[in-house]
PDB file of all heavy atoms in Angstrom:
ATOM      1  N   TYR M   1       7.136  -4.208  20.668  1.00  0.00           N
ATOM      2  CA  TYR M   1       7.275  -3.259  19.585  1.00  0.00           C
ATOM      3  C   TYR M   1       8.412  -3.541  18.639  1.00  0.00           C
ATOM      4  O   TYR M   1       8.623  -2.864  17.672  1.00  0.00           O
ATOM      5  CB  TYR M   1       7.433  -1.828  20.144  1.00  0.00           C
ATOM      6  CG  TYR M   1       6.172  -1.125  20.444  1.00  0.00           C
ATOM      7  CD1 TYR M   1       5.473  -1.320  21.644  1.00  0.00           C
ATOM      8  CD2 TYR M   1       5.559  -0.283  19.514  1.00  0.00           C
ATOM      9  CE1 TYR M   1       4.262  -0.712  21.926  1.00  0.00           C
ATOM     10  CE2 TYR M   1       4.348   0.376  19.776  1.00  0.00           C
ATOM     11  CZ  TYR M   1       3.737   0.134  21.002  1.00  0.00           C
ATOM     12  OH  TYR M   1       2.501   0.764  21.235  1.00  0.00           O
ATOM     13  N   GLY M   2       9.157  -4.617  18.910  1.00  0.00           N
ATOM     14  CA  GLY M   2      10.245  -5.035  18.006  1.00  0.00           C
ATOM     15  C   GLY M   2      11.474  -4.158  18.037  1.00  0.00           C
ATOM     16  O   GLY M   2      12.159  -3.944  17.029  1.00  0.00           O
ATOM     17  N   LEU M   3      11.768  -3.647  19.237  1.00  0.00           N
ATOM     18  CA  LEU M   3      12.932  -2.823  19.409  1.00  0.00           C
ATOM     19  C   LEU M   3      14.190  -3.554  18.887  1.00  0.00           C
ATOM     20  O   LEU M   3      14.389  -4.706  19.167  1.00  0.00           O
ATOM     21  CB  LEU M   3      13.155  -2.535  20.915  1.00  0.00           C
ATOM     22  CG  LEU M   3      13.098  -1.085  21.321  1.00  0.00           C
ATOM     23  CD1 LEU M   3      11.781  -0.465  21.023  1.00  0.00           C
ATOM     24  CD2 LEU M   3      13.396  -0.968  22.823  1.00  0.00           C
ATOM     25  N   THR M   4      14.994  -2.811  18.150  1.00  0.00           N
ATOM     26  CA  THR M   4      16.273  -3.326  17.671  1.00  0.00           C
ATOM     27  C   THR M   4      17.447  -2.609  18.316  1.00  0.00           C
ATOM     28  O   THR M   4      18.604  -2.996  18.151  1.00  0.00           O
ATOM     29  CB  THR M   4      16.404  -3.268  16.117  1.00  0.00           C
ATOM     30  OG1 THR M   4      16.308  -1.881  15.758  1.00  0.00           O
ATOM     31  CG2 THR M   4      15.342  -4.073  15.444  1.00  0.00           C
ATOM     32  N   GLY M   5      17.193  -1.501  18.988  1.00  0.00           N
ATOM     33  CA  GLY M   5      18.212  -0.723  19.574  1.00  0.00           C
ATOM     34  C   GLY M   5      17.521   0.529  20.158  1.00  0.00           C
ATOM     35  O   GLY M   5      16.339   0.653  20.046  1.00  0.00           O
ATOM     36  N   LEU M   6      18.295   1.396  20.762  1.00  0.00           N
ATOM     37  CA  LEU M   6      17.725   2.616  21.308  1.00  0.00           C
ATOM     38  C   LEU M   6      18.449   3.833  20.678  1.00  0.00           C
ATOM     39  O   LEU M   6      19.618   3.736  20.427  1.00  0.00           O
ATOM     40  CB  LEU M   6      17.926   2.638  22.868  1.00  0.00           C
ATOM     41  CG  LEU M   6      17.112   1.677  23.659  1.00  0.00           C
ATOM     42  CD1 LEU M   6      17.527   1.740  25.102  1.00  0.00           C
ATOM     43  CD2 LEU M   6      15.640   1.900  23.445  1.00  0.00           C
ATOM     44  N   PRO M   7      17.706   4.889  20.526  1.00  0.00           N
ATOM     45  CA  PRO M   7      16.264   5.033  20.630  1.00  0.00           C
ATOM     46  C   PRO M   7      15.575   4.452  19.371  1.00  0.00           C
ATOM     47  O   PRO M   7      16.139   4.402  18.303  1.00  0.00           O
ATOM     48  CB  PRO M   7      16.083   6.505  20.714  1.00  0.00           C
ATOM     49  CG  PRO M   7      17.216   7.099  19.935  1.00  0.00           C
ATOM     50  CD  PRO M   7      18.396   6.164  20.182  1.00  0.00           C
ATOM     51  N   ASP M   8      14.295   4.069  19.572  1.00  0.00           N
ATOM     52  CA  ASP M   8      13.377   3.700  18.491  1.00  0.00           C
ATOM     53  C   ASP M   8      12.101   4.464  18.766  1.00  0.00           C
ATOM     54  O   ASP M   8      11.679   4.611  19.905  1.00  0.00           O
ATOM     55  CB  ASP M   8      13.087   2.240  18.508  1.00  0.00           C
ATOM     56  CG  ASP M   8      14.102   1.412  17.660  1.00  0.00           C
ATOM     57  OD1 ASP M   8      15.012   1.974  17.115  1.00  0.00           O
ATOM     58  OD2 ASP M   8      13.876   0.125  17.579  1.00  0.00           O
ATOM     59  N   THR M   9      11.466   4.914  17.672  1.00  0.00           N
ATOM     60  CA  THR M   9      10.199   5.653  17.816  1.00  0.00           C
ATOM     61  C   THR M   9       9.156   5.034  16.960  1.00  0.00           C
ATOM     62  O   THR M   9       9.302   4.970  15.719  1.00  0.00           O
ATOM     63  CB  THR M   9      10.396   7.144  17.424  1.00  0.00           C
ATOM     64  OG1 THR M   9      11.434   7.689  18.241  1.00  0.00           O
ATOM     65  CG2 THR M   9       9.096   7.921  17.668  1.00  0.00           C
ATOM     66  N   ALA M  10       8.106   4.513  17.598  1.00  0.00           N
ATOM     67  CA  ALA M  10       6.993   3.870  16.879  1.00  0.00           C
ATOM     68  C   ALA M  10       5.962   4.958  16.539  1.00  0.00           C
ATOM     69  O   ALA M  10       5.635   5.806  17.364  1.00  0.00           O
ATOM     70  CB  ALA M  10       6.328   2.796  17.752  1.00  0.00           C
ATOM     71  N   ILE M  11       5.441   4.922  15.316  1.00  0.00           N
ATOM     72  CA  ILE M  11       4.471   5.879  14.866  1.00  0.00           C
ATOM     73  C   ILE M  11       3.096   5.133  14.773  1.00  0.00           C
ATOM     74  O   ILE M  11       3.013   4.082  14.102  1.00  0.00           O
ATOM     75  CB  ILE M  11       4.805   6.514  13.489  1.00  0.00           C
ATOM     76  CG1 ILE M  11       6.198   7.160  13.538  1.00  0.00           C
ATOM     77  CG2 ILE M  11       3.743   7.471  13.048  1.00  0.00           C
ATOM     78  CD1 ILE M  11       6.327   8.281  14.534  1.00  0.00           C
ATOM     79  N   ILE M  12       2.109   5.646  15.466  1.00  0.00           N
ATOM     80  CA  ILE M  12       0.786   5.025  15.526  1.00  0.00           C
ATOM     81  C   ILE M  12      -0.222   6.004  14.907  1.00  0.00           C
ATOM     82  O   ILE M  12      -0.195   7.203  15.191  1.00  0.00           O
ATOM     83  CB  ILE M  12       0.427   4.771  16.989  1.00  0.00           C
ATOM     84  CG1 ILE M  12       1.458   3.835  17.620  1.00  0.00           C
ATOM     85  CG2 ILE M  12      -0.980   4.140  17.102  1.00  0.00           C
ATOM     86  CD1 ILE M  12       1.341   3.658  19.126  1.00  0.00           C
ATOM     87  N   ASP M  13      -1.056   5.495  14.026  1.00  0.00           N
ATOM     88  CA  ASP M  13      -2.071   6.303  13.355  1.00  0.00           C
ATOM     89  C   ASP M  13      -3.245   6.537  14.292  1.00  0.00           C
ATOM     90  O   ASP M  13      -3.323   5.921  15.362  1.00  0.00           O
ATOM     91  CB  ASP M  13      -2.429   5.756  12.002  1.00  0.00           C
ATOM     92  CG  ASP M  13      -3.346   4.515  12.017  1.00  0.00           C
ATOM     93  OD1 ASP M  13      -3.865   4.136  13.123  1.00  0.00           O
ATOM     94  OD2 ASP M  13      -3.622   3.955  10.959  1.00  0.00           O
ATOM     95  N   PRO M  14      -4.193   7.406  13.903  1.00  0.00           N
ATOM     96  CA  PRO M  14      -5.317   7.721  14.778  1.00  0.00           C
ATOM     97  C   PRO M  14      -6.201   6.520  15.103  1.00  0.00           C
ATOM     98  O   PRO M  14      -6.954   6.554  16.046  1.00  0.00           O
ATOM     99  CB  PRO M  14      -6.045   8.791  14.002  1.00  0.00           C
ATOM    100  CG  PRO M  14      -5.058   9.460  13.112  1.00  0.00           C
ATOM    101  CD  PRO M  14      -4.151   8.319  12.740  1.00  0.00           C
ATOM    102  N   ARG M  15      -6.122   5.471  14.334  1.00  0.00           N
ATOM    103  CA  ARG M  15      -6.939   4.244  14.589  1.00  0.00           C
ATOM    104  C   ARG M  15      -6.242   3.284  15.532  1.00  0.00           C
ATOM    105  O   ARG M  15      -6.791   2.242  15.828  1.00  0.00           O
ATOM    106  CB  ARG M  15      -7.247   3.568  13.277  1.00  0.00           C
ATOM    107  CG  ARG M  15      -8.007   4.381  12.298  1.00  0.00           C
ATOM    108  CD  ARG M  15      -8.165   3.668  10.942  1.00  0.00           C
ATOM    109  NE  ARG M  15      -6.846   3.435  10.394  1.00  0.00           N
ATOM    110  CZ  ARG M  15      -6.463   2.319   9.734  1.00  0.00           C
ATOM    111  NH1 ARG M  15      -7.336   1.369   9.481  1.00  0.00           N
ATOM    112  NH2 ARG M  15      -5.200   2.188   9.302  1.00  0.00           N
ATOM    113  N   GLY M  16      -5.003   3.602  15.952  1.00  0.00           N
ATOM    114  CA  GLY M  16      -4.318   2.726  16.813  1.00  0.00           C
ATOM    115  C   GLY M  16      -3.475   1.667  16.110  1.00  0.00           C
ATOM    116  O   GLY M  16      -3.077   0.642  16.711  1.00  0.00           O
ATOM    117  N   ARG M  17      -3.194   1.911  14.829  1.00  0.00           N
ATOM    118  CA  ARG M  17      -2.378   0.979  14.027  1.00  0.00           C
ATOM    119  C   ARG M  17      -0.935   1.464  14.002  1.00  0.00           C
ATOM    120  O   ARG M  17      -0.658   2.621  13.797  1.00  0.00           O
ATOM    121  CB  ARG M  17      -2.909   0.922  12.590  1.00  0.00           C
ATOM    122  CG  ARG M  17      -4.410   0.660  12.524  1.00  0.00           C
ATOM    123  CD  ARG M  17      -4.815  -0.732  12.779  1.00  0.00           C
ATOM    124  NE  ARG M  17      -4.251  -1.667  11.797  1.00  0.00           N
ATOM    125  CZ  ARG M  17      -4.474  -2.987  11.873  1.00  0.00           C
ATOM    126  NH1 ARG M  17      -5.176  -3.495  12.863  1.00  0.00           N
ATOM    127  NH2 ARG M  17      -3.905  -3.786  10.978  1.00  0.00           N
ATOM    128  N   LEU M  18      -0.012   0.530  14.145  1.00  0.00           N
ATOM    129  CA  LEU M  18       1.416   0.814  14.018  1.00  0.00           C
ATOM    130  C   LEU M  18       1.701   0.997  12.534  1.00  0.00           C
ATOM    131  O   LEU M  18       1.458   0.057  11.753  1.00  0.00           O
ATOM    132  CB  LEU M  18       2.225  -0.317  14.653  1.00  0.00           C
ATOM    133  CG  LEU M  18       3.734  -0.178  14.665  1.00  0.00           C
ATOM    134  CD1 LEU M  18       4.146   0.993  15.502  1.00  0.00           C
ATOM    135  CD2 LEU M  18       4.349  -1.463  15.228  1.00  0.00           C
ATOM    136  N   VAL M  19       2.208   2.157  12.128  1.00  0.00           N
ATOM    137  CA  VAL M  19       2.473   2.395  10.723  1.00  0.00           C
ATOM    138  C   VAL M  19       3.919   2.600  10.357  1.00  0.00           C
ATOM    139  O   VAL M  19       4.302   2.557   9.190  1.00  0.00           O
ATOM    140  CB  VAL M  19       1.594   3.597  10.195  1.00  0.00           C
ATOM    141  CG1 VAL M  19       0.127   3.259  10.210  1.00  0.00           C
ATOM    142  CG2 VAL M  19       1.895   4.855  10.971  1.00  0.00           C
ATOM    143  N   ASP M  20       4.781   2.834  11.358  1.00  0.00           N
ATOM    144  CA  ASP M  20       6.192   3.027  11.043  1.00  0.00           C
ATOM    145  C   ASP M  20       7.000   2.921  12.306  1.00  0.00           C
ATOM    146  O   ASP M  20       6.482   3.116  13.430  1.00  0.00           O
ATOM    147  CB  ASP M  20       6.471   4.393  10.411  1.00  0.00           C
ATOM    148  CG  ASP M  20       7.693   4.458   9.570  1.00  0.00           C
ATOM    149  OD1 ASP M  20       8.485   3.464   9.516  1.00  0.00           O
ATOM    150  OD2 ASP M  20       7.961   5.510   9.010  1.00  0.00           O
ATOM    151  N   VAL M  21       8.281   2.542  12.204  1.00  0.00           N
ATOM    152  CA  VAL M  21       9.181   2.579  13.319  1.00  0.00           C
ATOM    153  C   VAL M  21      10.442   3.307  12.814  1.00  0.00           C
ATOM    154  O   VAL M  21      11.067   2.869  11.846  1.00  0.00           O
ATOM    155  CB  VAL M  21       9.582   1.162  13.821  1.00  0.00           C
ATOM    156  CG1 VAL M  21      10.549   1.250  14.990  1.00  0.00           C
ATOM    157  CG2 VAL M  21       8.268   0.403  14.282  1.00  0.00           C
ATOM    158  N   LEU M  22      10.823   4.384  13.520  1.00  0.00           N
ATOM    159  CA  LEU M  22      11.975   5.178  13.176  1.00  0.00           C
ATOM    160  C   LEU M  22      13.127   4.703  14.048  1.00  0.00           C
ATOM    161  O   LEU M  22      13.057   4.732  15.266  1.00  0.00           O
ATOM    162  CB  LEU M  22      11.719   6.649  13.397  1.00  0.00           C
ATOM    163  CG  LEU M  22      10.471   7.201  12.779  1.00  0.00           C
ATOM    164  CD1 LEU M  22      10.244   8.668  13.217  1.00  0.00           C
ATOM    165  CD2 LEU M  22      10.571   7.134  11.264  1.00  0.00           C
ATOM    166  N   ARG M  23      14.156   4.182  13.434  1.00  0.00           N
ATOM    167  CA  ARG M  23      15.294   3.605  14.147  1.00  0.00           C
ATOM    168  C   ARG M  23      16.365   4.635  14.386  1.00  0.00           C
ATOM    169  O   ARG M  23      16.716   5.387  13.486  1.00  0.00           O
ATOM    170  CB  ARG M  23      15.897   2.421  13.365  1.00  0.00           C
ATOM    171  CG  ARG M  23      14.868   1.345  12.946  1.00  0.00           C
ATOM    172  CD  ARG M  23      14.386   0.525  14.086  1.00  0.00           C
ATOM    173  NE  ARG M  23      13.537  -0.492  13.603  1.00  0.00           N
ATOM    174  CZ  ARG M  23      12.829  -1.311  14.395  1.00  0.00           C
ATOM    175  NH1 ARG M  23      12.902  -1.153  15.647  1.00  0.00           N
ATOM    176  NH2 ARG M  23      12.058  -2.204  13.913  1.00  0.00           N
ATOM    177  N   GLY M  24      16.868   4.709  15.590  1.00  0.00           N
ATOM    178  CA  GLY M  24      17.988   5.617  15.917  1.00  0.00           C
ATOM    179  C   GLY M  24      17.459   6.973  16.319  1.00  0.00           C
ATOM    180  O   GLY M  24      16.251   7.223  16.278  1.00  0.00           O
ATOM    181  N   PRO M  25      18.351   7.892  16.654  1.00  0.00           N
ATOM    182  CA  PRO M  25      18.003   9.228  17.078  1.00  0.00           C
ATOM    183  C   PRO M  25      17.389   9.997  15.900  1.00  0.00           C
ATOM    184  O   PRO M  25      17.857   9.886  14.783  1.00  0.00           O
ATOM    185  CB  PRO M  25      19.289   9.874  17.599  1.00  0.00           C
ATOM    186  CG  PRO M  25      20.370   9.104  16.925  1.00  0.00           C
ATOM    187  CD  PRO M  25      19.818   7.737  16.699  1.00  0.00           C
ATOM    188  N   GLN M  26      16.311  10.736  16.220  1.00  0.00           N
ATOM    189  CA  GLN M  26      15.572  11.473  15.167  1.00  0.00           C
ATOM    190  C   GLN M  26      15.505  12.969  15.485  1.00  0.00           C
ATOM    191  O   GLN M  26      15.587  13.341  16.655  1.00  0.00           O
ATOM    192  CB  GLN M  26      14.160  10.931  15.083  1.00  0.00           C
ATOM    193  CG  GLN M  26      14.039   9.452  14.815  1.00  0.00           C
ATOM    194  CD  GLN M  26      14.592   9.081  13.499  1.00  0.00           C
ATOM    195  OE1 GLN M  26      14.417   9.759  12.491  1.00  0.00           O
ATOM    196  NE2 GLN M  26      15.292   7.955  13.428  1.00  0.00           N
ATOM    197  N   SER M  27      15.384  13.770  14.478  1.00  0.00           N
ATOM    198  CA  SER M  27      15.147  15.198  14.724  1.00  0.00           C
ATOM    199  C   SER M  27      13.629  15.402  14.862  1.00  0.00           C
ATOM    200  O   SER M  27      12.824  14.585  14.479  1.00  0.00           O
ATOM    201  CB  SER M  27      15.664  15.987  13.512  1.00  0.00           C
ATOM    202  OG  SER M  27      14.847  15.720  12.406  1.00  0.00           O
ATOM    203  N   ALA M  28      13.313  16.573  15.416  1.00  0.00           N
ATOM    204  CA  ALA M  28      11.884  16.910  15.547  1.00  0.00           C
ATOM    205  C   ALA M  28      11.169  16.909  14.166  1.00  0.00           C
ATOM    206  O   ALA M  28      10.113  16.462  14.052  1.00  0.00           O
ATOM    207  CB  ALA M  28      11.731  18.234  16.199  1.00  0.00           C
TER     208      ALA M  28
END
């Protein structure tokens, strides 16, 4: 998934495609 650090959150669309990676801690 190309992690660069923790936490990282990968966003996957309904078709199973990776569309974004949020780096660092995120809010809801």
Side-chain angles (χ1 to χ4, degrees):
Y1 273 84
L3 241 60
T4 60
L6 291 175
D8 270 1
T9 304
I11 305 298
I12 301 171
D13 76 7
R15 299 173 301 142
R17 309 285 296 178
L18 182 62
V19 294
D20 203 357
V21 179
L22 308 174
R23 308 288 184 189
Q26 304 296 321
S27 69

